[in-house]
Amino acid sequence: MTSFSHAVGIIGTGNVGVAAAYALFQRQIAGELVLLDKDPRRAEGEAMDLMHGQSLVGRVTVRAGDYADLKGCRVIVVTAGVNQKPGESRLDLLNRNAAVFREIAAQLDRHAPEAVLVIATNPVDILTRVMQRLSARPAERIIGTGTMLDTSRFRAALGDYYGVNPRSVHAYIMGEHGDSEVPIWSTAKVGGLSLYRQTVHGRPFDEGAMEALFQRVRTAAADIISRKGYTNTAIGLVIAYLVRVILEDQKSVLPVSVDPEGEYGLREVCLSIPCIIGASGMEGLVAPVISDAEHQGMVRSARILRDSLEGMVIG
């Protein structure tokens, strides 16, 4: 099944939205991209810039629009949000982002009620849950990018450590997309061979080295931001990959942010668990059997996220 004829909307043409649009455009994942921004001229400029690359990429239409132009889009990516003001509390920032999402949810329910929503605005787990509470569409059609990027970083680091292609590494970061994220060592594999307490490609499992590797993964975003001011390129690739999986109904298993629905004893919060992703969004959970320590990490992640949701003005 090809996705090329489908339309995809992107709300927010900041660094992440533009990186996602570029990745979708360059890979011809959709036949049409519709860009929205609170500054319409910026969206127009980004659309014009991409359109000038058609002779190098192929026939992909990119245009700026408003919410009514999202009618018929199969997937809509939300990267819009507000930045923290000097002296502003985290709760105040969350409430301002909730207000932004309240308007977006109402407009999308009116103009594109059947679309799958991909939430990429940070804090992604909290705002995915906010959108699920604000939108009338089923929760399974609202998913956050979650720890897909963290998992990609994790697999790349493990591939480098063991000297193999990262695509041959099967390992997940679960839980919060943030400081409390949980590396799942108990199911990590290279080519089907478990890493935990085994020798792989001549390298034994070294707990100290693995912990240092994970800490580099956990702090990767901060390390990049300290150098260039923001992260955008890799998350743009993550968004494009996730959109392709949805449009092509691939039934791929990806660590996205959803309500665990009782898995690991967790519910009423969004965090990352491997899920089957297809044309309807989240089509099922694939929760691996994890260690007691990893389970405790998941519970801690959920508690941190739930604490952030408390006190927010959502509905």
Side-chain angles (χ1 to χ4, degrees), residues 42-312:
R42 174 165 184 162
E44 289 170 2
E46 297 293 355
M48 292 166 62
D49 204 2
L50 280 173
M51 284 287 282
H52 294 161
Q54 281 192 101
S55 66
L56 306 173
V57 171
R59 183 65 179 175
V60 180
T61 300
V62 188
R63 63 188 176 96
D66 56 26
Y67 285 105
D69 295 304
L70 296 176
K71 181 179 180 180
C73 284
R74 289 277 303 280
V75 182
I76 297 172
V77 180
V78 181
T79 69
V82 294
N83 296 320
Q84 194 161 14
K85 297 177 180 178
E88 184 177 39
S89 71
R90 176 178 170 81
L91 181 58
D92 287 340
L93 174 63
L94 288 173
N95 281 329
R96 286 203 298 127
N97 269 310
V100 171
F101 269 48
R102 193 176 304 119
E103 178 184 354
I104 292 172
Q107 293 284 359
L108 293 183
D109 283 351
R110 177 183 177 188
H111 296 290
E114 302 301 319
V116 175
L117 306 187
V118 171
I119 310 302
T121 308
N122 278 321
V124 66
D125 302 297
I126 294 171
L127 292 176
T128 299
R129 183 59 181 163
V130 167
M131 184 61 82
Q132 288 182 348
R133 290 172 62 175
L134 290 171
S135 176
R137 77 196 66 222
E140 59 266 23
R141 292 215 303 268
I142 303 171
I143 56 181
T145 52
T147 59
M148 281 186 64
L149 178 53
D150 310 86
T151 292
S152 179
R153 290 167 174 158
F154 192 39
R155 292 177 180 180
L158 286 169
D160 183 61
Y161 182 85
Y162 285 103
V164 300
N165 189 320
R167 291 186 175 184
S168 297
V169 177
H170 300 280
Y172 291 112
I173 299 289
M174 290 168 46
E176 178 195 15
H177 172 58
D179 289 343
S180 71
E181 63 189 30
V182 184
I184 309 300
W185 296 110
S186 57
T187 62
K189 293 179 172 64
V190 168
L193 182 63
S194 175
L195 302 182
Y196 193 59
R197 300 192 185 285
Q198 293 195 67
T199 296
V200 176
H201 201 199
R203 302 204 71 167
F205 186 86
D206 181 326
E207 290 196 16
M210 293 296 98
E211 176 61 22
L213 181 149
F214 166 63
Q215 290 303 326
R216 290 195 297 274
V217 170
R218 189 175 67 83
T219 62
D223 292 339
I224 294 168
I225 290 168
S226 72
R227 289 163 171 79
K228 61 177 275 188
Y230 54 89
T231 63
N232 67 324
T233 308
I235 187 60
L237 291 170
V238 163
I239 292 167
Y241 187 94
L242 179 53
V243 170
R244 181 188 285 278
V245 166
I246 296 167
L247 291 179
E248 296 182 353
D249 195 23
Q250 289 185 10
K251 315 295 186 189
S252 295
V253 177
L254 302 173
V256 293
S257 188
V258 297
D259 186 336
E261 299 178 348
E263 290 288 350
Y264 308 120
L266 308 174
R267 62 179 71 250
E268 301 298 324
V269 68
C270 284
L271 43 63
S272 285
I273 290 177
C275 298
I276 300 169
I277 303 299
S280 300
M282 194 280 286
E283 299 185 2
L285 298 171
V286 185
V289 176
I290 59 179
S291 70
D292 289 344
E294 290 162 354
H295 180 261
Q296 290 171 11
M298 292 291 288
V299 171
R300 177 173 176 265
S301 257
R303 182 174 63 250
I304 289 170
L305 292 167
R306 195 173 287 113
D307 288 347
S308 292
L309 283 163
E310 288 184 5
M312 287 184 64

